[in-house]
């Protein structure tokens, strides 16, 4: 087991695929130990606190972040697939043989989300529901590969959420998906993950129609990226919201890759190159983080994705890394695009890993997490000792972001190792 030691010598680091898998496990243990708890102390449930340090009652009084839990579920599914041992190591639970597997925690989390959301998976925001739909689809695949399917529950979730997406994806404004039940805003954050959901559930015509609408109404050809959305005022007038967010590019990229075809793959390449050009930044000293398993030892320049602070923004860049990893591993894309996507993921994850700090036994976080486990910064250019010093409250969103980035680079490194093995390269 790799211990988190930012000063470790390069020769103490194993091969990149193993190193990144171990680091993803470190993040998984840190987040589940620090934030995970039963819902209302009920057996068979799991939920994540939105901030630590905090108590059970205090967390129940805080705002309900449905979509943070959906991405927590996605991260647990990532860890669950690695537990199957199909990449760079034999089957092994991420948290030890005596602890629940990632898949078991994920299943309990689905139960916790439903109970906490007043016995339903439906809420007022279609993008929230789309994120949960995507993560439960992946959980279903994990359950099938683990030979523990629960088809009845998954069928109920899929039917319930599909009805919501069908009702939100209307001909108003020529297409697209509404953001919320207020139905006054059609945007990329809802339309893109719904398109990806349709693509993954076999409704390719609807998925392509949503992508075509995004291309026609919200794609900015000058920058090669997708704008935020179109708001409908009470007068019927429409207003284009021109903000560009990192996470909006991710599910569009995922849907383009899922549907495939020359046009979609060409647009996917455009998005990856545009992300590298417009959504990256150098580190504080003008140097950029390296690409190796030990970023501090590699002078090779790579790009850092910009991050968007805390709160909801603390998830944004992590979401983008998830889909950039798919691009990095997609052999249908040009090699330069795949290399760029891999560099974006590896550079960002490497910077977050290098900037971690370890929980001290005497600090308040030690009441929830374990001493020696990492806390990650929400800004790759600043260490966690600066952004989250001992005594500071730590938000779930930012820790999920780092975990997502580490899972993304672990998948890229595993795919690279598998390709090298297949080709006979050492």
């Amino acid at each position: 087991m790799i211990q988190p030691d930012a000063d470790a010598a390069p020769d103490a680091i194993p091969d990149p695929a193993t190193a990144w898998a171990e680091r993803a496990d470190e993040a998984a243990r840190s987040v589940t130990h620090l934030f995970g708890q039963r819902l209302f102390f009920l057996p068979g449930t799991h939920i994540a606190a939105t901030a630590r340090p905090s108590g059970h009652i205090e967390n129940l009084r805080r705002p309900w972040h449905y979509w943070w839990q959906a991405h927590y579920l996605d991260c647990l599914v990532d860890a669950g697939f690695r537990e199957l041992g199909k990449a760079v190591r034999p089957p092994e639970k991420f948290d030890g043989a005596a602890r629940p597997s990632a898949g078991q925690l994920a299943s309990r989390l689905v139960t916790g989300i439903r109970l906490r959301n007043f016995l339903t998976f439906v809420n007022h925001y279609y993008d929230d529901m789309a994120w949960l739909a995507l993560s439960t689809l992946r959980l279903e695949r994990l359950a099938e590969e683990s030979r523990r399917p629960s088809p009845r529950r998954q069928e109920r979730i899929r039917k319930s959420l599909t009805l919501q997406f069908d009702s939100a994806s209307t001909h108003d404004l020529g297409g697209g998906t509404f953001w919320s039940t207020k139905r006054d805003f059609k945007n990329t954050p809802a339309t893109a993950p719904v398109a990806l959901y349709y693509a993954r559930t076999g409704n390719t015509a609807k998925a392509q129609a949503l992508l075509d609408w995004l291309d026609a109404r919200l794609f900015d050809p000058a920058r090669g990226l997708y704008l935020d959305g179109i708001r409908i005022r009470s007068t019927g007038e429409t207003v284009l919201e021109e903000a560009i967010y990192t996470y909006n590019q991710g599910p569009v990229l995922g849907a383009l890759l899922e549907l495939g075809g020359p046009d979609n793959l060409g647009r996917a390449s455009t998005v990856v190159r545009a992300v590298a050009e417009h959504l990256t930044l150098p580190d504080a000293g003008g140097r950029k983080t390296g690409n190796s398993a030990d970023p501090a030892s590699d002078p090779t320049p790579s790009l850092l994705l910009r991050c968007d602070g805390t709160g909801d923004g603390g998830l944004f860049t992590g979401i983008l890394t998830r889909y950039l990893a798919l691009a990095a591993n997609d052999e249908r894309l040009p090699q330069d695009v795949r290399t760029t996507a891999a560099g974006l993921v590896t550079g960002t994850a490497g910077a977050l890993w290098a900037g971690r700090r370890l929980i001290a036994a005497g600090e308040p976080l030690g009441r929830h997490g374990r001493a020696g486990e990492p806390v990650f910064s929400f800004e790759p250019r600043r260490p966690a000792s600066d952004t989250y010093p001992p005594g500071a409250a730590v938000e779930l969103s930012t820790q999920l972001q780092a975990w997502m980035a580490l899972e993304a680079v672990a998948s890229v490194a595993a795919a690279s190792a598998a390709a090298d093995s297949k080709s006979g390269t050492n």
Side-chain angles (χ1 to χ4, degrees):
M1 190 68 65
I2 295 176
Q3 297 302 316
D5 180 4
D7 297 321
D11 60 6
I13 303 295
D15 67 274
T18 301
W20 287 119
E22 293 287 357
R23 289 168 180 181
D25 275 348
E26 291 278 2
R29 286 190 290 272
S30 176
V31 173
T32 55
H33 295 167
L34 188 58
F35 296 94
Q37 59 186 43
R38 287 180 177 179
L39 178 67
F40 305 122
F41 303 98
L42 292 173
T45 67
H46 188 74
I47 206 77
T50 57
R52 292 295 197 195
S54 61
H56 279 76
I57 302 302
E58 183 181 358
N59 276 300
L60 291 174
R61 292 172 178 166
R62 285 180 167 148
W64 168 226
H65 292 287
Y66 176 112
W67 81 294
W68 294 16
Q69 306 292 333
H71 286 290
Y72 180 32
L73 180 61
D74 239 350
C75 288
L76 285 170
V77 173
D78 288 334
F81 277 114
R82 284 188 297 98
E83 284 183 330
L84 298 179
K86 294 186 176 182
V88 296
R89 57 184 182 178
E92 181 182 16
K93 288 184 179 180
F94 82 98
D95 200 14
R99 301 278 295 177
S101 69
Q104 288 171 323
L105 283 180
S107 181
R108 295 174 190 177
L109 177 59
V110 173
T111 300
I113 291 171
R114 178 177 174 272
L115 293 176
R116 178 63 179 81
N117 201 53
F118 304 105
L119 302 180
T120 180
F121 293 108
V122 175
N123 82 350
H124 296 298
Y125 294 93
Y126 295 107
D127 59 334
D128 287 14
M129 290 184 278
W131 294 121
L132 185 65
L134 290 170
S135 59
T136 53
L137 272 180
R138 296 184 65 235
L139 176 59
E140 182 178 4
R141 289 207 315 272
L142 174 63
E144 290 170 353
E145 293 198 27
S146 304
R147 299 181 181 179
R148 295 178 180 175
S150 52
R152 293 177 63 183
R153 181 169 79 167
Q154 296 301 330
E155 183 179 350
R156 289 196 301 271
I157 295 172
R158 188 182 302 116
K159 181 178 180 181
S160 173
L161 295 181
T162 300
L163 288 172
Q164 296 299 314
F165 305 145
D166 289 348
S167 73
S169 301
T170 69
H171 293 297
D172 301 270
L173 303 181
T177 304
F178 282 113
W179 180 52
S180 75
T181 54
K182 290 178 67 176
R183 304 175 84 85
D184 61 356
F185 190 31
K186 284 195 167 181
N187 64 3
T188 304
T191 305
V194 168
L196 179 55
Y197 172 80
Y198 280 140
R200 288 181 174 174
T201 54
N203 199 334
T204 56
K206 279 190 174 181
Q208 189 64 60
L210 291 177
L211 282 181
D212 291 344
W213 182 84
L214 285 169
D215 286 344
R217 301 300 299 271
L218 292 178
F219 182 72
D220 178 5
R223 286 175 285 185
L225 298 169
Y226 290 84
L227 307 177
D228 193 40
I230 303 173
R231 197 171 298 277
I232 307 171
R233 291 181 173 170
S234 58
T235 60
E237 178 188 6
T238 60
V239 178
L240 179 64
E241 300 286 353
E242 297 189 44
I244 289 179
Y245 296 108
T246 51
Y247 82 120
N248 283 349
Q249 317 312 314
V252 178
L253 181 58
L256 291 166
L257 296 174
E258 189 72 29
L259 289 171
D263 291 342
N264 288 330
L265 294 176
R267 179 54 56 85
S269 294
T270 297
V271 170
V272 172
R273 293 180 177 123
V275 165
E277 182 177 358
H278 298 291
L279 300 181
T280 56
L281 39 82
D283 73 9
R287 184 185 59 81
K288 294 177 180 179
T289 306
N291 282 322
S292 74
D294 181 15
S297 71
D298 185 356
T300 305
S302 65
L303 295 172
L304 296 179
L305 290 165
R306 85 174 195 209
C307 290
D308 290 281
T310 58
D312 284 346
L315 282 169
F316 286 5
T317 298
I319 293 169
L320 178 55
T321 63
R322 175 180 299 284
Y323 297 100
L324 285 171
L326 295 181
N329 294 338
D330 196 319
E331 295 182 355
R332 298 171 299 173
L333 297 180
Q335 187 58 54
D336 72 292
V337 171
R338 298 179 62 197
T339 300
T340 297
L344 289 163
V345 170
T346 307
T348 305
L352 291 170
W353 175 260
R356 73 203 182 282
R357 78 166 179 86
L358 306 186
I359 297 173
E363 68 174 290
L365 287 181
R367 300 198 306 267
H368 306 284
R370 297 178 182 176
E373 290 184 333
V375 171
F376 299 97
S377 178
F378 53 80
E379 167 53 65
R381 297 173 301 177
R382 298 169 59 196
S385 58
D386 180 9
T387 59
Y388 284 132
V394 178
E395 285 189 299
L396 170 67
S397 60
T398 62
Q399 303 309 290
L400 289 176
Q401 174 170 266
W403 183 4
M404 275 189 271
L406 289 163
E407 292 287 358
V409 73
S411 73
V412 171
S416 178
D420 288 347
S421 176
K422 185 175 180 180
S423 66
T425 302
N426 292 321

